[in-house]
Amino acid sequence: MSLDILDSRRTAAPDLLRFGVPLALALVLVVFSLLAPGFLTLSNIVGVLVNNVALAAIVSIAMTLTVASGGTDLSVGTAVDLGSLAFVSAIIAGQPVWIAALIGVLAGIGTGLFNALLIAGLSITPFLATLGTLFIGHSLQQLTTDGGNPVYVPTGSIPPALAFIGHGAVLGVPLALWLVAVLAIGAWLLLAKSRFGREVLAVGTEPQVALYSGLPVRAVLAFIYIASAAIASIAGILISANVNAYVPYSGNAYLLNSIGAAFIGTSLSRTRRANIPGALLGVLLLGFVSNGLLLIGWNFYWQQVGSGLLIFLALLLAFTGRRDAA
């Protein structure tokens, strides 16, 4: 059975729901611009994109790959943290920044390889496999940092390249946003424009049919979980470059929002498939909601409640649309 036949098994979701996230984002911008006069200022928008959106977008791109393959990666935060720890440790050991960055990505790849072994090699479900990796990653961080203490780059030996990664700009655009653009375009081309991307979506939609059709299901899953962890580790490198330190468990802060953004993004697809543009819209929506609630005086805990309700509503609409399309 060809990939075209696999695609034809999906029916189109109601078009109206596809505009739900863009309309919600527009509504959020209008409402908070009225409630908080400084909300739509250039400085605030740039601050949201750099501080709230960039890192969350990178982790959400990683998560979207796994969701597209029919799973999820609860260990993306672990890949963020291990990438951060390896990066900082290499800099403290005297390695050049670019070598340290490569070591950080390799730490992420190692996390992905472990997931691939469990999922593609041992056929453990992605939820349980990545949950186990999350716990193991926590233990590794505790064992290597005296119980989970921060690791700081000595103030007097901060390389200029490290400062550039954390706070530099190219053509006036912060480096973090350039990285988001490159990773998003690459992931979009992979999922939407390549044969491999169609294989990923086929595995995520009808895994048994994909297997009987002769698709390399195990290889596809292995690549996706390795790629997801590698991408997530880049966020860890950026976090370390921002604060000149490894901060224990900081990656877990992005886990729930990345899951929410990936599934919110499915509403942008006619067939309710995970996709990169939709995930980025989801990140923007969550980022601007959090910032708007902060500006009108809501404390952190109520911001979390607001974001949680938003994710719940978006997922409710997405799965309602999927059921109606079935």
Side-chain angles (χ1 to χ4, degrees), residues 196-220:
F196 179 79
R198 296 179 66 196
E199 291 177 349
V200 172
L201 296 175
V203 170
T205 303
E206 297 283 0
Q208 291 301 318
V209 175
L211 182 62
Y212 295 146
S213 302
L215 297 183
V217 173
R218 292 180 184 271
V220 167

PDB file of all heavy atoms in Angstrom, residues 196-220:
ATOM      1  N   PHE A 196      10.571  11.026   3.636  1.00  0.00           N
ATOM      2  CA  PHE A 196      10.732  10.551   5.007  1.00  0.00           C
ATOM      3  C   PHE A 196       9.651  11.141   5.908  1.00  0.00           C
ATOM      4  O   PHE A 196       9.119  10.460   6.793  1.00  0.00           O
ATOM      5  CB  PHE A 196      12.116  10.921   5.538  1.00  0.00           C
ATOM      6  CG  PHE A 196      12.338  10.473   6.962  1.00  0.00           C
ATOM      7  CD1 PHE A 196      12.646   9.157   7.251  1.00  0.00           C
ATOM      8  CD2 PHE A 196      12.221  11.377   8.011  1.00  0.00           C
ATOM      9  CE1 PHE A 196      12.828   8.741   8.561  1.00  0.00           C
ATOM     10  CE2 PHE A 196      12.406  10.974   9.319  1.00  0.00           C
ATOM     11  CZ  PHE A 196      12.712   9.650   9.592  1.00  0.00           C
ATOM     12  N   GLY A 197       9.313  12.412   5.693  1.00  0.00           N
ATOM     13  CA  GLY A 197       8.259  13.037   6.484  1.00  0.00           C
ATOM     14  C   GLY A 197       6.921  12.347   6.289  1.00  0.00           C
ATOM     15  O   GLY A 197       6.160  12.161   7.248  1.00  0.00           O
ATOM     16  N   ARG A 198       6.645  11.927   5.058  1.00  0.00           N
ATOM     17  CA  ARG A 198       5.404  11.212   4.802  1.00  0.00           C
ATOM     18  C   ARG A 198       5.424   9.850   5.493  1.00  0.00           C
ATOM     19  O   ARG A 198       4.400   9.369   5.961  1.00  0.00           O
ATOM     20  CB  ARG A 198       5.197  11.060   3.301  1.00  0.00           C
ATOM     21  CG  ARG A 198       5.025  12.394   2.564  1.00  0.00           C
ATOM     22  CD  ARG A 198       4.858  12.187   1.075  1.00  0.00           C
ATOM     23  NE  ARG A 198       3.609  11.502   0.775  1.00  0.00           N
ATOM     24  CZ  ARG A 198       3.339  10.922  -0.381  1.00  0.00           C
ATOM     25  NH1 ARG A 198       4.255  10.903  -1.334  1.00  0.00           N
ATOM     26  NH2 ARG A 198       2.182  10.334  -0.586  1.00  0.00           N
ATOM     27  N   GLU A 199       6.611   9.256   5.568  1.00  0.00           N
ATOM     28  CA  GLU A 199       6.723   7.989   6.295  1.00  0.00           C
ATOM     29  C   GLU A 199       6.474   8.205   7.789  1.00  0.00           C
ATOM     30  O   GLU A 199       5.810   7.396   8.443  1.00  0.00           O
ATOM     31  CB  GLU A 199       8.108   7.381   6.066  1.00  0.00           C
ATOM     32  CG  GLU A 199       8.321   6.890   4.641  1.00  0.00           C
ATOM     33  CD  GLU A 199       9.721   6.349   4.430  1.00  0.00           C
ATOM     34  OE1 GLU A 199      10.584   6.549   5.324  1.00  0.00           O
ATOM     35  OE2 GLU A 199       9.972   5.730   3.376  1.00  0.00           O
ATOM     36  N   VAL A 200       7.005   9.298   8.341  1.00  0.00           N
ATOM     37  CA  VAL A 200       6.771   9.614   9.753  1.00  0.00           C
ATOM     38  C   VAL A 200       5.284   9.773  10.025  1.00  0.00           C
ATOM     39  O   VAL A 200       4.743   9.217  10.991  1.00  0.00           O
ATOM     40  CB  VAL A 200       7.531  10.905  10.149  1.00  0.00           C
ATOM     41  CG1 VAL A 200       7.130  11.346  11.564  1.00  0.00           C
ATOM     42  CG2 VAL A 200       9.027  10.701  10.067  1.00  0.00           C
ATOM     43  N   LEU A 201       4.603  10.537   9.174  1.00  0.00           N
ATOM     44  CA  LEU A 201       3.173  10.766   9.360  1.00  0.00           C
ATOM     45  C   LEU A 201       2.377   9.478   9.177  1.00  0.00           C
ATOM     46  O   LEU A 201       1.377   9.259   9.864  1.00  0.00           O
ATOM     47  CB  LEU A 201       2.687  11.840   8.382  1.00  0.00           C
ATOM     48  CG  LEU A 201       3.294  13.238   8.593  1.00  0.00           C
ATOM     49  CD1 LEU A 201       2.843  14.187   7.495  1.00  0.00           C
ATOM     50  CD2 LEU A 201       2.910  13.791   9.957  1.00  0.00           C
ATOM     51  N   ALA A 202       2.826   8.632   8.258  1.00  0.00           N
ATOM     52  CA  ALA A 202       2.151   7.349   8.062  1.00  0.00           C
ATOM     53  C   ALA A 202       2.300   6.470   9.300  1.00  0.00           C
ATOM     54  O   ALA A 202       1.337   5.831   9.758  1.00  0.00           O
ATOM     55  CB  ALA A 202       2.727   6.629   6.838  1.00  0.00           C
ATOM     56  N   VAL A 203       3.510   6.446   9.878  1.00  0.00           N
ATOM     57  CA  VAL A 203       3.734   5.680  11.099  1.00  0.00           C
ATOM     58  C   VAL A 203       2.890   6.245  12.237  1.00  0.00           C
ATOM     59  O   VAL A 203       2.317   5.493  13.032  1.00  0.00           O
ATOM     60  CB  VAL A 203       5.229   5.696  11.475  1.00  0.00           C
ATOM     61  CG1 VAL A 203       5.455   5.117  12.868  1.00  0.00           C
ATOM     62  CG2 VAL A 203       6.038   4.922  10.446  1.00  0.00           C
ATOM     63  N   GLY A 204       2.787   7.559  12.315  1.00  0.00           N
ATOM     64  CA  GLY A 204       2.002   8.175  13.371  1.00  0.00           C
ATOM     65  C   GLY A 204       0.513   7.985  13.215  1.00  0.00           C
ATOM     66  O   GLY A 204      -0.226   7.974  14.200  1.00  0.00           O
ATOM     67  N   THR A 205       0.057   7.816  11.964  1.00  0.00           N
ATOM     68  CA  THR A 205      -1.375   7.688  11.710  1.00  0.00           C
ATOM     69  C   THR A 205      -1.843   6.243  11.777  1.00  0.00           C
ATOM     70  O   THR A 205      -2.805   5.908  12.468  1.00  0.00           O
ATOM     71  CB  THR A 205      -1.715   8.268  10.319  1.00  0.00           C
ATOM     72  OG1 THR A 205      -1.289   9.628  10.264  1.00  0.00           O
ATOM     73  CG2 THR A 205      -3.210   8.194  10.049  1.00  0.00           C
ATOM     74  N   GLU A 206      -1.185   5.375  11.061  1.00  0.00           N
ATOM     75  CA  GLU A 206      -1.563   3.966  10.972  1.00  0.00           C
ATOM     76  C   GLU A 206      -0.322   3.094  11.089  1.00  0.00           C
ATOM     77  O   GLU A 206       0.212   2.599  10.087  1.00  0.00           O
ATOM     78  CB  GLU A 206      -2.271   3.688   9.633  1.00  0.00           C
ATOM     79  CG  GLU A 206      -3.580   4.437   9.433  1.00  0.00           C
ATOM     80  CD  GLU A 206      -4.716   3.806  10.217  1.00  0.00           C
ATOM     81  OE1 GLU A 206      -4.481   2.799  10.895  1.00  0.00           O
ATOM     82  OE2 GLU A 206      -5.841   4.330  10.142  1.00  0.00           O
ATOM     83  N   PRO A 207       0.219   2.909  12.294  1.00  0.00           N
ATOM     84  CA  PRO A 207       1.493   2.182  12.428  1.00  0.00           C
ATOM     85  C   PRO A 207       1.452   0.757  11.889  1.00  0.00           C
ATOM     86  O   PRO A 207       2.416   0.306  11.264  1.00  0.00           O
ATOM     87  CB  PRO A 207       1.759   2.215  13.937  1.00  0.00           C
ATOM     88  CG  PRO A 207       0.442   2.528  14.575  1.00  0.00           C
ATOM     89  CD  PRO A 207      -0.297   3.366  13.590  1.00  0.00           C
ATOM     90  N   GLN A 208       0.358   0.040  12.119  1.00  0.00           N
ATOM     91  CA  GLN A 208       0.295  -1.335  11.629  1.00  0.00           C
ATOM     92  C   GLN A 208       0.219  -1.377  10.110  1.00  0.00           C
ATOM     93  O   GLN A 208       0.875  -2.206   9.462  1.00  0.00           O
ATOM     94  CB  GLN A 208      -0.927  -2.045  12.232  1.00  0.00           C
ATOM     95  CG  GLN A 208      -0.802  -2.308  13.724  1.00  0.00           C
ATOM     96  CD  GLN A 208       0.412  -3.163  14.049  1.00  0.00           C
ATOM     97  OE1 GLN A 208       0.718  -4.132  13.356  1.00  0.00           O
ATOM     98  NE2 GLN A 208       1.123  -2.800  15.116  1.00  0.00           N
ATOM     99  N   VAL A 209      -0.561  -0.478   9.534  1.00  0.00           N
ATOM    100  CA  VAL A 209      -0.648  -0.414   8.073  1.00  0.00           C
ATOM    101  C   VAL A 209       0.710  -0.034   7.492  1.00  0.00           C
ATOM    102  O   VAL A 209       1.150  -0.588   6.475  1.00  0.00           O
ATOM    103  CB  VAL A 209      -1.728   0.594   7.645  1.00  0.00           C
ATOM    104  CG1 VAL A 209      -1.735   0.753   6.128  1.00  0.00           C
ATOM    105  CG2 VAL A 209      -3.099   0.158   8.140  1.00  0.00           C
ATOM    106  N   ALA A 210       1.393   0.922   8.151  1.00  0.00           N
ATOM    107  CA  ALA A 210       2.720   1.331   7.683  1.00  0.00           C
ATOM    108  C   ALA A 210       3.690   0.152   7.728  1.00  0.00           C
ATOM    109  O   ALA A 210       4.493  -0.052   6.810  1.00  0.00           O
ATOM    110  CB  ALA A 210       3.237   2.476   8.534  1.00  0.00           C
ATOM    111  N   LEU A 211       3.614  -0.654   8.786  1.00  0.00           N
ATOM    112  CA  LEU A 211       4.496  -1.810   8.917  1.00  0.00           C
ATOM    113  C   LEU A 211       4.215  -2.835   7.819  1.00  0.00           C
ATOM    114  O   LEU A 211       5.141  -3.336   7.170  1.00  0.00           O
ATOM    115  CB  LEU A 211       4.302  -2.443  10.292  1.00  0.00           C
ATOM    116  CG  LEU A 211       5.179  -3.654  10.615  1.00  0.00           C
ATOM    117  CD1 LEU A 211       6.658  -3.261  10.609  1.00  0.00           C
ATOM    118  CD2 LEU A 211       4.786  -4.251  11.963  1.00  0.00           C
ATOM    119  N   TYR A 212       2.932  -3.137   7.596  1.00  0.00           N
ATOM    120  CA  TYR A 212       2.571  -4.104   6.571  1.00  0.00           C
ATOM    121  C   TYR A 212       2.856  -3.588   5.167  1.00  0.00           C
ATOM    122  O   TYR A 212       2.977  -4.372   4.220  1.00  0.00           O
ATOM    123  CB  TYR A 212       1.097  -4.476   6.694  1.00  0.00           C
ATOM    124  CG  TYR A 212       0.764  -5.190   7.985  1.00  0.00           C
ATOM    125  CD1 TYR A 212      -0.468  -4.994   8.601  1.00  0.00           C
ATOM    126  CD2 TYR A 212       1.679  -6.039   8.592  1.00  0.00           C
ATOM    127  CE1 TYR A 212      -0.789  -5.635   9.798  1.00  0.00           C
ATOM    128  CE2 TYR A 212       1.381  -6.686   9.780  1.00  0.00           C
ATOM    129  CZ  TYR A 212       0.149  -6.480  10.379  1.00  0.00           C
ATOM    130  OH  TYR A 212      -0.150  -7.107  11.555  1.00  0.00           O
ATOM    131  N   SER A 213       2.973  -2.260   5.034  1.00  0.00           N
ATOM    132  CA  SER A 213       3.286  -1.672   3.728  1.00  0.00           C
ATOM    133  C   SER A 213       4.765  -1.709   3.417  1.00  0.00           C
ATOM    134  O   SER A 213       5.190  -1.278   2.339  1.00  0.00           O
ATOM    135  CB  SER A 213       2.793  -0.220   3.675  1.00  0.00           C
ATOM    136  OG  SER A 213       1.402  -0.141   3.907  1.00  0.00           O
ATOM    137  N   GLY A 214       5.554  -2.171   4.364  1.00  0.00           N
ATOM    138  CA  GLY A 214       6.990  -2.289   4.128  1.00  0.00           C
ATOM    139  C   GLY A 214       7.793  -1.081   4.547  1.00  0.00           C
ATOM    140  O   GLY A 214       8.990  -0.996   4.230  1.00  0.00           O
ATOM    141  N   LEU A 215       7.175  -0.139   5.270  1.00  0.00           N
ATOM    142  CA  LEU A 215       7.919   1.026   5.722  1.00  0.00           C
ATOM    143  C   LEU A 215       8.852   0.639   6.877  1.00  0.00           C
ATOM    144  O   LEU A 215       8.497  -0.197   7.716  1.00  0.00           O
ATOM    145  CB  LEU A 215       6.961   2.131   6.178  1.00  0.00           C
ATOM    146  CG  LEU A 215       6.028   2.712   5.117  1.00  0.00           C
ATOM    147  CD1 LEU A 215       5.200   3.836   5.697  1.00  0.00           C
ATOM    148  CD2 LEU A 215       6.824   3.213   3.921  1.00  0.00           C
ATOM    149  N   PRO A 216      10.033   1.248   6.968  1.00  0.00           N
ATOM    150  CA  PRO A 216      10.981   0.930   8.046  1.00  0.00           C
ATOM    151  C   PRO A 216      10.571   1.608   9.355  1.00  0.00           C
ATOM    152  O   PRO A 216      11.194   2.586   9.787  1.00  0.00           O
ATOM    153  CB  PRO A 216      12.309   1.471   7.506  1.00  0.00           C
ATOM    154  CG  PRO A 216      11.912   2.621   6.639  1.00  0.00           C
ATOM    155  CD  PRO A 216      10.587   2.233   6.008  1.00  0.00           C
ATOM    156  N   VAL A 217       9.546   1.086   9.978  1.00  0.00           N
ATOM    157  CA  VAL A 217       8.935   1.746  11.135  1.00  0.00           C
ATOM    158  C   VAL A 217       9.947   1.951  12.258  1.00  0.00           C
ATOM    159  O   VAL A 217      10.029   3.048  12.847  1.00  0.00           O
ATOM    160  CB  VAL A 217       7.718   0.935  11.636  1.00  0.00           C
ATOM    161  CG1 VAL A 217       7.185   1.525  12.941  1.00  0.00           C
ATOM    162  CG2 VAL A 217       6.631   0.910  10.573  1.00  0.00           C
ATOM    163  N   ARG A 218      10.717   0.919  12.584  1.00  0.00           N
ATOM    164  CA  ARG A 218      11.678   1.032  13.682  1.00  0.00           C
ATOM    165  C   ARG A 218      12.745   2.088  13.389  1.00  0.00           C
ATOM    166  O   ARG A 218      13.113   2.878  14.263  1.00  0.00           O
ATOM    167  CB  ARG A 218      12.329  -0.321  13.956  1.00  0.00           C
ATOM    168  CG  ARG A 218      11.374  -1.364  14.533  1.00  0.00           C
ATOM    169  CD  ARG A 218      12.092  -2.688  14.778  1.00  0.00           C
ATOM    170  NE  ARG A 218      11.171  -3.707  15.250  1.00  0.00           N
ATOM    171  CZ  ARG A 218      10.874  -3.920  16.525  1.00  0.00           C
ATOM    172  NH1 ARG A 218      11.442  -3.164  17.461  1.00  0.00           N
ATOM    173  NH2 ARG A 218      10.039  -4.874  16.872  1.00  0.00           N
ATOM    174  N   ALA A 219      13.223   2.126  12.169  1.00  0.00           N
ATOM    175  CA  ALA A 219      14.237   3.113  11.803  1.00  0.00           C
ATOM    176  C   ALA A 219      13.674   4.529  11.861  1.00  0.00           C
ATOM    177  O   ALA A 219      14.347   5.468  12.297  1.00  0.00           O
ATOM    178  CB  ALA A 219      14.782   2.815  10.408  1.00  0.00           C
ATOM    179  N   VAL A 220      12.429   4.681  11.410  1.00  0.00           N
ATOM    180  CA  VAL A 220      11.777   5.988  11.459  1.00  0.00           C
ATOM    181  C   VAL A 220      11.660   6.471  12.897  1.00  0.00           C
ATOM    182  O   VAL A 220      12.005   7.613  13.228  1.00  0.00           O
ATOM    183  CB  VAL A 220      10.388   5.922  10.792  1.00  0.00           C
ATOM    184  CG1 VAL A 220       9.574   7.174  11.103  1.00  0.00           C
ATOM    185  CG2 VAL A 220      10.532   5.748   9.286  1.00  0.00           C
TER     186      VAL A 220
END
